[in-house]
Amino acid sequence: MAQTEPAEEDLSHGMPRLGLGTWQNTDPEQCAESVRTALEAGYRHIDTAQAYDNEEYVGDGIAAADVDRDDVFLATKIWTTNLAHDDVLETAKASLDRLGVDAVDLLYVHWPAGEYDPEGTLAAFDQLYDEGLIRNVGVSNFTPELLDEARGILDAPIVANQVECHPLLQQDELLDYGREHDINLVAYSPLARGAVFDVPEIQEIAEKHDASPAQVSLAWLLQRDGVAAIPKATGEAHIRDNWGALELELDDEDVATIDALGEGRREVDPDFGPWN
Ligand code: NAP
């Protein structure tokens, strides 16, 4: 497939399966260039957050790309200090201003921590949804128990739970929960922040398919029903390498080998989270 074609099948709720992560991409020009490059390579899902301090540069990249804004699935997140009801309303609008858009496609609760107060926080998310400023509601770093609670409060559906997920942390329980309730699992740190590159089994599968270890890790995620992945890549080589994962078909033996690698290894904030 030409690398300029968008991904063929989106997940439910119109979410493209492969997106671009932007955490720690904070240089104004570099960040805008990464986003523009990704969009022109075919990506249609961009992930940012208030806490990444780059919403403005992400917006610049979208504006600079030769792609219609309406074709881009743009997600941002409300940071923990802004989760009180009125702060959600106020800072979501500030995020839209920084991004230079009238609405985002998905707004997440970034972590169930800090000022997160289920009733107040989620009422504000419902209000933004009703006003059309956010097209979908998502949560991040939620456990099944927290998802149950949030679903009981929200009127709007939860379309995604964004959690760390990769061959070394497979999140089977959350995946089953998501499939039952039509909640996509958006895999963050899908390359385990580089740790998957050192796994011999992944290296061997990569060699067998003449692919990169990054592509193997991403292809394993993308072949799972209901999973999107948002690898962070800065320069064109990594951006295009990751896009190539959509073309890689792992066979049953590869999948079984990777399925056996899950060891519950967490790269992001292992000591801070509702799972502790
Ligand atoms: P990641 O995507 O697992 O790994 C990113 C690292 O891999 C970067 O150092 C990147 O380098 C490198 N890389 C990317 N593609 C590569 C390739 N093809 N070959 C070799 N190296 C490659 O880690 P992440 O940034 O933690 O996670 C991805 C995104 O998930 C974040 O950017 C963010 O959008 C989101 N996230 C969300 C949360 C949350 O709480 N919701 C937490 C963490 C992350 P270069 O940058 O040099 O290309």
Side-chain angles (χ1 to χ4, degrees):
M1 184 176 84
Q3 294 216 329
T4 47
E5 290 297 314
E8 285 161 15
E9 314 143 42
D10 291 344
L11 296 180
S12 62
H13 314 292
M15 174 183 282
R17 291 185 296 147
L18 185 62
L20 181 76
T22 64
W23 183 28
Q24 296 175 329
N25 194 341
T26 49
D27 177 80
E29 281 169 23
Q30 177 63 75
C31 180
E33 186 57 15
S34 303
V35 170
R36 188 189 67 77
T37 301
L39 290 173
E40 293 186 354
Y43 291 65
R44 292 293 180 271
H45 177 170
I46 306 289
D47 184 82
T48 181
Q50 292 176 340
Y52 300 170
D53 285 331
N54 64 7
E55 289 175 311
E56 192 183 336
Y57 321 137
V58 167
D60 290 344
I62 293 172
D66 191 14
V67 168
D68 273 356
R69 155 68 190 111
D70 288 345
D71 293 337
V72 181
F73 189 94
L74 175 61
T76 192
K77 316 183 191 79
I78 304 278
W79 186 236
T80 56
T81 49
N82 298 332
L83 287 171
H85 177 274
D86 291 357
D87 292 341
V88 171
L89 299 178
E90 203 174 300
T91 69
K93 287 169 191 155
S95 285
L96 297 190
D97 285 346
R98 283 192 292 272
L99 288 161
V101 296
D102 298 329
V104 285
D105 299 278
L106 178 57
L107 186 71
Y108 292 98
V109 174
H110 200 148
W111 284 86
E115 300 305 311
Y116 180 62
D117 143 43
E119 297 282 349
T121 302
L122 298 173
F125 272 68
D126 265 332
Q127 186 176 328
L128 291 166
Y129 180 81
D130 291 342
E131 289 171 355
L133 298 180
I134 65 174
R135 299 192 178 121
N136 290 288
V137 172
V139 296
S140 181
N141 300 299
F142 273 44
T143 58
E145 296 71 29
L146 287 162
L147 285 166
D148 281 340
E149 178 185 50
R151 288 175 46 246
I153 294 169
L154 274 165
D155 290 331
I158 295 177
V159 310
N161 185 22
Q162 184 179 129
V163 292
E164 182 174 343
C165 186
H166 44 70
L168 307 175
L169 180 68
Q170 303 194 354
Q171 301 282 24
D172 292 341
E173 188 190 359
L174 282 173
L175 191 50
D176 286 344
Y177 186 105
R179 286 173 180 158
E180 193 179 331
H181 298 288
D182 195 18
I183 299 173
N184 295 328
L185 189 153
V186 178
Y188 78 63
S189 306
L191 306 174
R193 318 208 81 215
V196 294
F197 305 151
D198 300 326
V199 177
E201 291 88 341
I202 292 183
Q203 292 171 344
E204 278 161 31
I205 294 169
E207 243 168 74
K208 172 174 141 189
H209 291 280
D210 196 19
S212 69
Q215 290 175 334
V216 170
S217 187
L218 295 171
W220 174 81
L221 284 165
L222 298 173
Q223 281 180 219
R224 302 175 98 195
D225 190 29
V227 175
I230 49 165
K232 178 246 187 183
T234 308
E236 183 164 2
H238 288 170
I239 289 170
R240 286 193 179 272
D241 187 48
N242 296 342
W243 187 249
L246 288 167
E247 283 301 282
L248 174 60
E249 230 175 277
L250 300 177
D251 60 35
D252 292 348
E253 194 188 335
D254 303 329
V255 171
T257 301
I258 300 176
D259 283 351
L261 296 175
E263 56 182 56
R265 170 169 166 172
R266 213 175 264 285
E267 297 295 326
V268 178
D269 289 318
D271 303 322
F272 166 71
W275 43 81
N276 287 305

